[in-house]
Amino acid sequence: MKMSFPIASDDFVQAGEASSKIKRILKQIGIPSGIIRRVSIAVYESEMNIVIHASDGEITLSVSADGIDIISSDQGPGIADLELAMQEGYSTASEEVRRQGFGAGMGLPNIKKSCDQLNIESELGKGTTLTMHFNLTESEV
Amino acid sequence: MSEYFHSVRLDKSKCIGCTNCIKRCPTEAIRVRDGKAHILEERCIDCGECIRVCPEHAKYAITDTFEMLRKFKYRLAIPAPSLFGQFAGKLSDIEIIATLKMLGFDEVLEVALGADYVSMAYRKYFQRQDVLRPAISSACPALVRLIQVRFPTLIPHIIPIESPMEITAYLAKKEFAEKQNIALTEVGVFFISPCPAKVTAVRQPVASSTYVDGIISISEIYGLIIRNHSKLRHFPELLKTSRPRASSGGLRWARPGGESIGFSNNISHVQVQGIDHIIKVLEQVEMGKLRNVDFLELQACPGGCLGGPLTVENPFVARVYLNQMANDRTETAGITAEEFQGIEDSGALYFNADIKARQIMRLDEDIAKALEKVEKVENLTQSLPGLDCGACGSPTCRALAEDIVQGLANRTYCTIELRSDVRKLAERMLEFAQHLPPTMEKKTQEAKKDEDE
Ligand SMILES: Nc1ncnc2c1ncn2[C@@H]1O[C@H](COP(=O)(O)OP(=O)(O)OP(=O)(O)O)[C@@H](O)[C@H]1O
Ligand code: SF4
Ligand SMILES: [Mg+2]
């Protein structure tokens, strides 16, 4: 099963909707709640990164017996230094965005903690793609 | 008996099959079928939202009646703090308590005193190192059930401390039995309640056993108090023995913010009332937000327990009177460290079982089948008009799609669909009417020619 959700850049009102919809679907499938929790954190953070740092993008959910796969891709500016971006507390968010409560530099580190496998591809001027995998067997933290 | 007990019920004879309730239900637990509303047992959380919204008053809550008092040799009343805001400032707290005694209760202990204990327990809880933030208050049973059915991932956030009602029931029973030197079984404890959710919490506790034996609604006892309080002048001794013991903070638990009053400044808290707003906030918590908030005080009713479906006074008005009464109380209830320790050691203060998730959203027990159904629901939802009008008897187009996939509804329930089907049919009929059999074609052509000339 595969479904896509478009994400609009700078749209703070709709932000979080993809995460809500995906959560609902996973609950309907009957995925254990601990896994749903981790997926929704990862999707939400990816969604917010598109809204804040990139231009339009898309989040895709696929569920199969192998597990849950989430792909978040955007046509934004790309990430210059991936290693730096992965560090807790590193952020290039503007003062304005910070005042709204974002820009703690915790998004990517939390995504990494939430999923079982993470792959990030990013090219300057082209965009960023996050591929996240979640196992269906619950080895809870 | 069915698996679930519910306090909220439907009076079929009054229901006219309008769709007000299905649209308001926070767990999509109501459908209209055959012209009447039906409550889906496994989904209902007894929040009472439908009682508030039903224009026909067809939804009601079952509670125990005053008659039930007869079953016990001794009876104790434990009134919710919200009761004290109901009398427009005309009755003092002492008079309210004394009137309850006059009505047949051997002792009265305010649930506000249990709230004082719970406040102490909450403060102690936040000293622990392993608190999952934001911690969610557990006093409102409708809220706990909402989390069970819609936000099971958040169950570990619920503070595993009993509600003020439970602690008060335990205290009242124990104190009375010790003083009279009688068995606990001879004593019946009656909670005077603002809400149906408490009735369900007592009949079917989520995570513990209960010390409450019966529940009487505020709206039932209100009339009795109003009619009888003037007779107090014949019982002056009752007024002397009816001093309240709870603090101002304990009394304020009935109103928004009350649960957070005892916290020092270093415990940050957010207060939300009304189930719509609560759902939005819990959505955020599920996405990993609000981690830097220590305490989420959530009350299902707008205006807190003062807005409970079984109260009489408007919650905003009641709040003024409750505050006035609270201003005259002391700031602490004077609970000693030993007294607190005693309750803690008794085990009555903490949940004695885990809260379980209720997976109502799952479409099938088997994940592979559930996956198929999710896809079907998705496709069906896309093909429905998306008006969420409710005329089909399901709360939204998506809910109808789910009902269809589960075999509980039919596509023709959608009136818009039906209309467009009828239109298509009408168009085809018109088309048929224009195609005449060859035997008749000539005649009509001639007739037409005549007309033109
Ligand atoms: N999709 C993206 N496109 C471009 N740059 C990105 C993208 N995602 C992350 N970044 C860069 O990586 C940095 C770190 O991202 P991260 O999500 O960890 O923190 P943040 O978004 O700045 O703050 P927070 O997520 O805590 O609100 C961002 O500040 C930004 O510079
Ligand atoms: S807010 Fe109070 S009255 Fe309303 S459901 Fe919760 S406990 Fe009951
Ligand atoms: Mg981020």
Side-chain angles (χ1 to χ4, degrees), chain A residues 1-3 16 19-20 23-25 27-31 33-34 36-37 40-41 44-45 63-64 102 110, chain B residues 28 150-154 157 283 285-289 291 359 361-363 367 370-371 374-375 378 398 402:
Chain A
M1 191 213 58
K2 199 169 170 175
M3 272 175 224
S19 176
S20 289
K23 233 169 24 186
R24 183 183 175 118
I25 290 166
K27 283 177 189 171
Q28 290 185 324
I29 299 175
I31 304 291
S33 46
I36 298 184
R37 182 82 198 264
S40 64
I41 290 173
Y44 176 73
E45 291 295 349
V63 186
S64 69
F102 304 100
N110 279 335
Chain B
E28 298 187 342
R150 269 194 71 166
F151 300 97
T153 66
L154 301 181
H157 289 253
E283 286 270 352
V285 177
E286 266 195 330
M287 292 168 202
K289 290 172 83 176
R291 281 202 195 117
Q359 292 221 8
M361 293 177 73
R362 187 164 62 179
L363 293 176
I367 286 202
L371 262 171
V374 163
E375 274 197 296
E378 208 54 40
R398 177 174 286 273
E402 286 167 19

Side-chain angles (χ1 to χ4, degrees), chain B residues 46-48 52 82 139-143 193-198 253-254 259 273 298-311:
Chain B
D46 289 290
C47 63
R52 258 191 221 109
S82 42
C140 171
L143 195 269
S193 174
C195 78
K198 287 283 190 198
W253 264 64
E259 300 177 25
Q273 306 89 42
L298 307 179
Q299 290 166 314
C301 297
C305 297
L306 286 172
L310 306 180
T311 57

